[in-house]
Amino acid sequence: MTQVDLPDPVVRHPATPDIDRAALDEALRARVQGEVRFDDGTRAAYSTDASNFRQVPLGVVVPRSPDDAVDALEVAREFGAPVLSRGGGTSLAGQCTNTAIVLDWSKYCTKLESVDEAARTCVVQPGIVLDELNRQLAGTGLRFGPEPATHMNCTLGGMIGNNSCGATAQRTGKVVDNISRLEVLLADGTRFWCGKTTDEEYADIERRGDPRAAIYRQLRQLRDEYADEVRRRFPDIPRRVSGYNLDSLLPEHGFDVAGLLVGSESTLVTVLRAELKLVPVLPERTLVVLGYPDIASAADAVPKILPHEPIALEGVDHKLIRDQRLKDMNPQALGDMPQGRAFLMVQFGGQSSDEVERRAHKMLEALHDTEHEADVAFLDDPAREDELWQVREAGLGATAHVPGKADTFEGWEDSAVAPERLGEYLRKLTALYEEFGYASDTGPSLYGHFGQGCVHTRIPFDLYTADGVVTYRRFMHRAAALVAELGGSFSGEHGDGQSRGELLPKMFGEELVTAFGRLKAIFDPADRMNPGKVVAPYSLDENLRLGGTWSPADPQDLYFRFPEDGGSFAQAANRCVGVGRCRQHDTSSGDVMCPSYQVTGEEEHSTRGRARLLFEMLHGHGDSPIGDGWRSAEVKDALDLCLACKGCKTDCPANVDMATYKAEFLAHHYEGRPWRRPRSDFTMGWLPAFAQVVGRLRAGKPVNALTRTPGLARLATLVAGVEDREIPAFAGETLQQWFARHHPAGDGARGTVLLWPDSFTNHFHPAVGRAAVHVLEDAGWRVTMPVKPVCCGLTWISTGQLGLAKHILQRTVRELAPHVRDGGLVVGMEPSCTAVFRSDATELFPGDQDARRLRNQTVTLAELLTEHSPGYRPPRVDAKALAQVHCHQHAVLGWDADRRLLEAAGVDAERLGSGCCGLAGNFGFEKGHREVSEACAERVLLPRVRDADDGTVVLADGFSCRTQLHELDSGGREGTHLAELLASGLGRPPEPPRRRKLAALAATVALGAAGAAVARRVRAR
């Protein structure tokens, strides 16, 4: 065979190219059908991934098809611009951040193009999300095997780039083991399908004499030259992910070019399509949890378990469990854990329950009376199993920002050794933590895919100071030497990127690292594909997102005090760790986050994207694209579609609270220039004040009649600066007015509770409050209610008018102080207002003892009746119900008490996995928001309500949820509050449906002068 000369290796990453960004932007727009975004906001949103690194991109291209991406790369080639192909952007080693054109596949290139059930294969585009792929495959009885913890938002393209694995890899192997073929594009425009290559196929390719033939000849030469070294130096372990897959070229692996390219992290080719191997879905499974005294002892037991062929074998230590308990994550699942300080989660799967239970018991018998015997918890309820898996999957985010602990970071979060040496490795790694001062009673936590020897951890590196960065660097080299000594891999599924690129010589030796450089030169001689990652890498302390030179603005004139972030907005903005759970498309699990992303598919409209812009806004690095701080139009635009649902406050593993950040930003953005605010900030923000005027004048009915005059409704919305939507009608009599003439019933033997007359219940839906009074009195409570006009300040908070909000809330706290100082409970009916007392109040006034008492003594109706009313039995309401849980209830209050109460009342209630209803207080009324608002509702909520049986009750405690159901196409259904449903069981039929037209905004026109007077009075108090 003719000798083929191999190219010199790529050995040094190129300097940042001097590229005319404006001309590049123009050229891409002219030739790409998809979206081309070179604006500062987009560049800020894509400046980092889930790693320690940060590089501001040249711009972002969102291709509409694989062919569109081909056109984009052609333009990039003409300009000499680097290219980075990105999926979900959750990479932990820095491979998804670069000064390059970023191709984001996740919005449009999401198709499952074909399925061959007989061959058990399918063809996909790179942007399809794993969970969505498996949902589409469900009818075939097949699925894609590897399943990382980010399965709800990771894309197949990203999984291919990283050679991902997850817990299911115990059964199915890594992504490289599940790829049949890839369609790839090289930087020079060469495009072909590749996979395993027989000698006959190779000869056919070589005869063509085209660029592909040249590549294949060089690959075969590379294989022949380095085969012995590959066999000698590549670790023979289940989770060798570091380095390029040169072993895939070996004859025993079929000269698999697709396998070679899996895990190459966008440094060699751009993947356009993939043909995946599929595996049968196992219909039955069971989970056994084993408790051990320490994590190393748990690891020692792994080799004894593996012969029993579990389909997953995960390990977690007590520190991860404690972190989740501190953050109140997965409380029910944590209660199922056996005794111990470390745990193995062993899952068996099969075709029958008898089969899986038999295998599980056989494993336990084998461990009995050995040093590996454990305390055991046996779970065979799929729902409980899923909850317990969430404990493991939440590991990365759960250990990032734990109250009272130092922040932890990735970097050495993914090492792997042979399972037989796992216990030894964990003991030596723990000793290394202690040597470097990283160990404490609280961390670092150790967990991971123990059945394959892969260890995840986050370490409290000091990445804020120069000395801390030096120590981090020394630790990384020592840890790498330890893993190399044990014959392991620096990466077990996350890839090398920049975190581990410079360490590869310790694992593979200089000869194979040279081979990696030559491989890079075969595919990308100009080094324009994700340069500086894996091969010729940036050093592990370059391009740090933080680092010793990070010096962000840290505003001191804050309205919210950010007590969980040390009073620092900079730390709050740095809370996001990039795992991207806010990018999940499905909320069937009960999550809410992130409704705007769910309907737009835009990174900037995810919690993560917004957090990135806020981080860049603080200008901690000199090259930030956001340079005008609180006045930033880019940040305002990104926050504009935030519904302030607070879903991220609970659903985000790092507890990012974007609703609070938005309110704080808007307060400063408009400070000193209120005339720049949209009119809706005043009409919606001041709605409680206007409503008080209408209520005091008992003008509800006249105002409602006035707004039904043809043309006036539209005029009102135009003057108010809001969408042309129906607005709820004012009540003819407020709840407070009704209560003033109400004669108490019952004996009040349980004591007195204060029923909070929030503005929405009081002025718009007082029937809810009347029902609550009847239910509470029937339960044995004496009900009291403030006489004066009161408000929690919610609408001022949500519109960022925080100075007024604090003033109003302080006045309310003083009004309620005597009651709460006496130990009295406050019952909230409207979830968003109740959440102000339970959350916002102490975040605005963390040192106010009365605000703390109010937080601790505010309860929902369900909480009062299930947790503070011993022996209470609700009235029987034998009905079916669909429950639309308000976002703030989900995020702050919880729904468990409601579930228990409904069950006790005989209600067969299904909690809808619908996320946010889309109205979200003022959001759905604000200009430009209607399309997103309605799309949120149509995603799950409205279709489910329309399809429900006629007798099904639609439970919706939130005023926004009921309003959205009333106005949009709900099939004529109205929302019912829990209090109304329970009152119906007392023989009190629900009051007539709320089918009245526009009102509230007309008050801003008809009663403007009166509203101004109220405003003056509020300020005066």
Side-chain angles (χ1 to χ4, degrees):
M1 187 174 66
T2 305
Q3 177 70 30
V4 176
D5 291 331
L6 292 175
D8 291 334
V10 173
V11 294
R12 182 177 292 108
H13 62 79
T16 301
D18 184 14
I19 291 173
D20 185 340
R21 287 184 55 251
L24 177 59
D25 182 8
E26 183 179 358
L28 285 166
R29 290 180 186 277
R31 291 158 62 181
V32 172
Q33 294 181 359
E35 299 168 15
V36 177
R37 302 176 180 174
F38 276 54
D39 60 280
D40 290 338
T42 297
R43 295 173 66 226
Y46 286 80
S47 61
T48 187
D49 47 15
S51 73
N52 295 326
F53 304 100
R54 169 191 172 276
Q55 291 174 273
V56 180
L58 298 173
V60 175
V61 173
V62 185
R64 289 190 177 273
S65 67
D67 288 343
D68 209 18
V70 174
D71 292 338
L73 261 73
E74 183 178 1
V75 175
R77 183 166 63 254
E78 293 168 4
F79 279 78
V83 175
L84 163 60
S85 195
R86 167 176 158 142
T90 59
S91 295
L92 288 152
Q95 58 266 58
C96 270
T97 177
N98 216 321
T99 305
I101 298 171
V102 175
L103 291 178
D104 184 347
W105 297 91
S106 63
K107 185 174 182 180
Y108 298 119
C109 297
T110 59
K111 292 183 175 61
L112 168 59
E113 294 190 346
S114 64
V115 180
D116 186 334
E117 294 185 38
R120 291 183 179 175
T121 61
C122 69
V123 175
V124 299
Q125 294 178 354
I128 191 169
V129 169
L130 176 61
D131 274 3
E132 179 58 28
L133 169 64
N134 283 330
R135 273 192 291 273
Q136 292 187 38
L137 290 171
T140 68
L142 302 170
R143 60 173 289 134
F144 188 63
E147 185 178 276
T150 53
H151 53 85
M152 69 289 294
N153 57 274
C154 68
T155 67
L156 265 294
M159 292 177 67
I160 291 166
N162 279 2
N163 197 7
S164 299
C165 304
T168 58
Q170 188 73 39
R171 171 195 175 208
T172 64
K174 306 186 290 287
V175 165
V176 70
D177 305 310
N178 293 270
I179 294 293
S180 177
R181 296 187 302 148
L182 295 177
E183 184 185 15
V184 298
L185 179 70
L186 277 60
D188 67 2
T190 302
R191 179 178 180 178
F192 55 83
W193 279 91
C194 58
K196 288 189 175 182
T197 314
T198 65
D199 289 341
E200 293 78 10
E201 289 168 334
Y202 176 84
D204 182 59
I205 293 168
E206 189 176 36
R207 279 194 295 270
R208 297 173 192 169
D210 57 10
R212 181 188 183 192
I215 289 168
Y216 273 56
R217 281 195 296 270
Q218 289 179 312
L219 291 179
R220 179 166 281 201
Q221 180 64 35
L222 185 76
R223 179 201 69 182
D224 293 343
E225 189 167 323
Y226 291 98
D228 291 342
E229 190 69 0
V230 168
R231 294 186 180 100
R232 188 174 74 86
R233 293 299 300 257
F234 269 50
D236 184 18
I237 61 174
R239 288 294 189 97
R240 195 280 309 156
V241 168
S242 279
Y244 290 133
N245 293 337
L246 294 181
D247 55 335
S248 290
L249 296 179
L250 296 176
E252 55 265 37
H253 295 141
F255 196 70
D256 186 356
V257 178
L260 167 73
L261 296 174
V262 169
S264 58
E265 303 178 18
S266 187
T267 62
L268 301 180
V269 298
T270 295
V271 175
L272 302 176
R273 290 180 176 84
E275 185 176 77
L276 312 177
K277 300 175 184 177
L278 305 176
V279 298
V281 174
L282 296 177
E284 297 294 337
R285 62 186 187 185
T286 193
L287 179 66
V288 181
V289 185
L290 307 176
Y292 290 93
D294 59 77
I295 195 65
S297 297
D300 290 339
V302 167
K304 300 297 183 182
I305 296 171
L306 289 176
H308 300 279
E309 299 183 342
I311 62 171
L313 176 46
E314 303 288 286
V316 297
D317 68 3
H318 74 285
K319 296 174 182 177
L320 175 62
I321 301 298
R322 184 186 55 244
D323 288 350
Q324 296 201 23
R325 283 182 173 142
L326 285 172
K327 299 174 76 171
D328 196 29
M329 298 175 69
N330 305 307
Q332 293 179 332
L334 294 177
D336 291 330
M337 303 296 279
Q339 295 296 311
R341 291 172 61 81
F343 309 93
L344 294 178
M345 300 167 61
V346 190
Q347 188 172 57
F348 294 94
Q351 297 301 314
S352 69
S353 57
D354 287 344
E355 175 191 354
V356 295
E357 289 182 15
R358 183 170 59 253
R359 291 168 63 190
H361 284 293
K362 188 174 181 181
M363 175 201 68
L364 294 175
E365 290 170 4
L367 296 178
H368 182 59
D369 285 340
T370 73
E371 70 272 27
H372 305 301
E373 186 169 13
D375 194 68
V376 178
F378 213 114
L379 285 82
D380 55 8
D381 178 354
R384 304 301 285 171
E385 285 185 44
D386 288 343
E387 291 173 9
L388 204 51
W389 280 120
Q390 289 175 19
V391 173
R392 165 60 193 85
E393 290 182 352
L396 186 148
T399 56
H401 299 284
V402 179
K405 293 175 56 176
D407 288 346
T408 61
F409 299 91
E410 51 280 349
W412 196 253
E413 83 297 333
D414 188 38
S415 51
V417 297
E420 295 75 20
R421 305 197 74 173
L422 183 57
E424 176 187 3
Y425 174 52
L426 293 179
R427 291 180 178 92
K428 291 183 176 180
L429 181 61
T430 300
L432 201 61
Y433 288 159
E434 293 171 352
E435 177 185 340
F436 277 79
Y438 295 140
S440 71
D441 292 340
T442 60
S445 174
L446 294 165
Y447 58 98
H449 312 294
F450 279 22
Q452 296 191 313
C454 182
V455 179
H456 294 327
T457 184
R458 288 180 66 93
I459 301 172
F461 295 126
D462 173 11
L463 297 183
Y464 298 95
T465 68
D467 287 346
V469 171
V470 169
T471 303
Y472 148 76
R473 180 179 183 82
R474 286 196 300 111
F475 173 86
M476 291 287 286
H477 278 265
R478 286 284 301 281
L482 170 61
V483 167
E485 171 194 328
L486 295 176
S489 175
F490 302 158
S491 171
E493 65 179 336
H494 295 163
D496 296 317
Q498 189 174 336
S499 285
R500 293 171 278 271
E502 75 167 74
L503 303 173
L504 293 180
K506 293 180 182 293
M507 176 176 166
F508 293 104
E510 293 294 344
E511 187 175 351
L512 281 183
V513 170
T514 298
F516 294 158
R518 285 181 159 175
L519 178 66
K520 169 77 167 173
I522 290 171
F523 282 97
D524 180 28
D527 197 10
R528 285 293 177 254
M529 299 297 298
N530 204 12
K533 315 294 176 173
V534 185
V535 165
Y538 293 106
S539 67
L540 58 83
D541 51 5
E542 284 184 90
N543 305 320
L544 289 174
R545 186 167 58 85
L546 302 176
T549 61
W550 181 57
S551 182
D554 197 8
Q556 299 301 303
D557 56 339
L558 300 173
Y559 293 93
F560 282 97
R561 306 315 302 169
F562 299 98
E564 298 299 326
D565 295 289
S568 169
F569 187 80
Q571 285 302 108
N574 190 38
R575 181 173 279 271
C576 174
V577 295
V579 296
R581 187 162 181 174
C582 49
R583 288 169 52 97
Q584 63 184 337
H585 295 263
D586 179 62
T587 53
S588 58
S589 64
D591 285 356
V592 169
M593 179 181 70
C594 174
S596 55
Y597 177 80
Q598 288 156 10
V599 300
T600 67
E602 300 282 355
E603 176 71 17
E604 285 182 73
H605 298 311
S606 69
T607 305
R608 182 179 70 181
R610 295 180 177 114
R612 296 312 188 209
L613 266 80
L614 290 169
F615 178 88
E616 292 294 325
M617 179 193 80
L618 298 175
H619 212 62
H621 298 280
D623 64 342
S624 174
I626 307 294
D628 45 359
W630 293 122
R631 295 293 197 239
S632 170
E634 292 83 6
V635 176
K636 177 182 172 296
D637 288 346
L639 289 171
D640 180 58
L641 290 187
C642 170
L643 284 80
C645 68
K646 285 188 176 288
C648 49
K649 186 178 178 71
T650 292
D651 297 342
C652 171
N655 303 118
V656 170
D657 184 0
M658 194 54 61
T660 296
Y661 306 168
K662 177 181 180 179
E664 188 73 38
F665 173 84
L666 291 176
H668 294 281
H669 185 75
Y670 291 116
E671 201 156 36
R673 49 179 195 169
W675 59 87
R676 287 185 175 269
R677 283 185 176 274
R679 291 196 304 277
S680 60
D681 276 10
F682 300 104
T683 54
M684 301 303 298
W686 283 80
L687 182 59
F690 301 139
Q692 288 177 16
V693 174
V694 175
R696 188 177 298 116
L697 298 176
R698 294 184 181 265
K701 290 182 179 179
V703 169
N704 295 338
L706 184 66
T707 57
R708 291 175 184 171
T709 302
L712 186 57
R714 179 61 181 140
L715 176 62
T717 58
L718 288 171
V719 172
V722 299
E723 291 280 4
D724 183 19
R725 295 188 63 149
E726 179 181 335
I727 308 299
F730 284 109
E733 180 183 51
T734 69
L735 175 63
Q736 286 177 305
Q737 290 165 348
W738 172 85
F739 190 76
R741 60 179 179 79
H742 170 68
H743 298 291
D747 58 10
R750 294 188 187 274
T752 299
V753 293
L754 187 148
L755 188 63
W756 174 247
D758 63 88
S759 296
F760 306 103
T761 305
N762 193 27
H763 295 285
F764 297 99
H765 287 181
V768 169
R770 294 194 292 267
V773 170
H774 295 315
V775 170
L776 290 172
E777 290 178 343
D778 176 74
W781 290 97
R782 180 68 66 228
V783 180
T784 187
M785 188 180 295
V787 176
K788 297 179 181 178
V790 287
C791 183
C792 67
L794 169 70
T795 56
W796 284 277
I797 292 172
S798 61
T799 54
Q801 301 178 75
L802 295 183
L804 276 168
K806 292 186 73 168
H807 179 81
I808 291 164
L809 183 54
Q810 275 185 314
R811 188 182 65 188
T812 294
V813 170
R814 289 197 300 269
E815 179 72 18
L816 300 182
H819 179 76
V820 296
R821 287 176 183 175
D822 287 342
L825 297 176
V826 175
V827 180
M829 294 170 285
E830 169 57 38
S832 54
C833 298
T834 310
V836 171
F837 291 163
R838 288 268 282 263
S839 178
D840 299 88
T842 50
E843 291 169 9
L844 288 164
F845 308 109
D848 189 312
Q849 290 298 328
D850 286 327
R852 292 182 182 180
R853 294 184 185 103
L854 183 58
R855 174 194 62 194
N856 296 335
Q857 292 163 228
T858 294
V859 295
T860 66
L861 176 64
E863 287 171 337
L864 179 77
L865 296 177
T866 59
E867 299 169 11
H868 301 277
S869 305
Y872 171 72
R873 289 187 176 184
R876 292 294 298 181
V877 185
D878 294 315
K880 290 181 64 176
L882 294 177
Q884 169 64 18
V885 178
H886 190 284
C887 299
H888 290 193
Q889 177 154 10
H890 165 80
V892 177
L893 311 172
W895 198 70
D896 287 345
D898 298 69
R899 187 190 303 278
R900 294 195 302 271
L901 183 60
L902 289 165
E903 288 176 357
V907 179
D908 179 11
E910 175 193 351
R911 177 176 178 173
L912 289 173
S914 50
C916 183
C917 75
L919 188 59
N922 51 288
F923 176 85
F925 291 107
E926 294 170 344
K927 278 288 188 184
H929 293 173
R930 181 163 187 159
E931 183 178 354
V932 168
S933 174
E934 293 186 0
C936 288
E938 284 290 354
R939 200 176 58 83
V940 176
L941 172 61
L942 293 179
R944 285 300 314 278
V945 170
R946 288 193 295 264
D947 291 344
D949 296 336
D950 290 342
T952 300
V953 176
V954 182
L955 267 178
D957 281 4
F959 175 77
S960 291
C961 306
R962 296 195 299 274
T963 300
Q964 191 83 319
L965 285 165
H966 170 78
E967 180 178 346
L968 302 184
D969 182 13
S970 62
R973 303 299 185 89
E974 296 287 340
T976 300
H977 192 282
L978 174 64
E980 295 176 298
L981 183 63
L982 293 176
S984 72
L986 298 174
R988 294 180 177 274
E991 300 191 24
R994 310 170 186 98
R995 279 286 176 194
R996 297 195 179 103
K997 266 280 191 182
L998 198 70
L1001 292 179
T1004 70
V1005 181
L1007 302 171
V1014 172
R1016 288 193 293 271
R1017 292 182 63 186
V1018 168
R1019 290 194 183 96
R1021 289 174 187 171

